[in-house]
Amino acid sequence: MKESKLYTAGARRLQDRFDSRRIADRLEQKVLVAKFSDTHREFIETAPMFFLATADAEGRPDVSYKGGLPGFVRVTGPSELAFPDYNGNGMFKSLGSLAENSNVGLLFIRWGEKPKRLRVQGHATIDENDPLMPQFERSQLIVRVKAERIFDNCPRYIHHLEILSYSPYTPGPGRESPIPEWKRNPLFRDALPSRDLEVLTSEENNWEGRSPPGNKV
């Protein structure tokens, strides 16, 4: 029998312990693919968020929430997707790991009456001169993921949640992204990147003597 590329030895031991090896193999045979379908594309390109799992050079894992307006993730090839990196807290935990270890996992979730989830595993690259840069307003970098494993997951444990509105901080055409409140805090202000300081200074000058927004973390 051809050995699975999806399951580790640890997964196999647990499958045997709980008598799930047969169904695990069937799912791999019937669900696992290496190319995006039209259904995958529609799901991914209408998603307003996903979770990005990375690991650094020493294998220490991290996971990050990535949000944007629908369309901020695009399927750019039969087995490739791309998304922008927006201005954040400047820690670059996820992208820093990608620079050392290209292995990534992405989890897309659709909440609501018809829940759905999709996993994508592959290798990522980062490019600040990517031709997609002009298409994503205020993007810092573009991340491209070459997918090796794409598979739908059972959605039965996804809670019924509804998106009431998109974050006002999300970049998009015709949208002004305000400075987050924590960047106004004196604890952090003198350490901010110059572009954030410029925006804050310009904003405060426009207040013309009025009280500026509070210093919340």
Side-chain angles (χ1 to χ4, degrees), residues 89 179-207 211-217:
N89 58 18
I179 292 289
E181 293 299 315
W182 70 268
K183 289 188 176 182
R184 304 178 191 279
N185 193 305
L187 291 173
F188 309 114
R189 177 162 179 152
D190 65 337
L192 291 177
S194 57
R195 63 178 177 177
D196 286 334
L197 283 172
E198 290 173 3
V199 173
L200 275 176
T201 301
S202 175
E203 182 184 88
E204 290 167 355
N205 288 339
N206 290 334
W207 277 86
S211 298
N215 290 324
K216 301 177 182 178
V217 175

Side-chain angles (χ1 to χ4, degrees), residues 41-83:
R41 179 189 292 271
E42 186 275 334
F43 180 31
I44 290 170
E45 294 189 346
T46 58
M49 53 78 66
F50 70 94
F51 295 98
L52 175 66
T54 59
D56 63 18
E58 296 181 16
R60 291 174 296 197
D62 194 21
V63 64
S64 178
Y65 166 91
K66 299 297 182 183
L69 296 179
F72 86 111
V73 186
R74 297 183 188 175
V75 175
T76 52
S79 302
E80 184 187 81
L81 61 76
F83 61 89

Side-chain angles (χ1 to χ4, degrees), residues 7 12 18 27 34 46 49 59 83 100 114 133 147 170 180 184 194 212:
Y7 304 122
R12 285 306 202 189
F18 292 97
L27 287 167
T46 58
M49 53 78 66
F83 61 89
E100 300 178 347
K114 295 182 178 180
M133 283 284 289
T170 304
R184 304 178 191 279
S194 57

Side-chain angles (χ1 to χ4, degrees), residues 104-137:
V104 293
L106 289 73
L107 174 62
F108 294 87
I109 299 178
R110 175 182 292 160
W111 317 94
E113 295 182 358
K114 295 182 178 180
K116 181 180 177 64
R117 63 176 175 166
L118 178 71
R119 293 191 187 192
V120 178
Q121 296 176 341
H123 294 273
T125 56
I126 309 166
D127 190 351
E128 60 182 307
N129 297 309
D130 192 287
L132 284 178
M133 283 284 289
Q135 299 182 36
F136 291 103
E137 193 166 342

Side-chain angles (χ1 to χ4, degrees), residues 4-20:
S4 168
K5 294 183 179 180
L6 179 63
Y7 304 122
T8 63
R12 285 306 202 189
R13 286 193 294 271
L14 288 168
Q15 291 167 10
D16 292 340
R17 166 69 180 81
F18 292 97
D19 189 30
S20 66

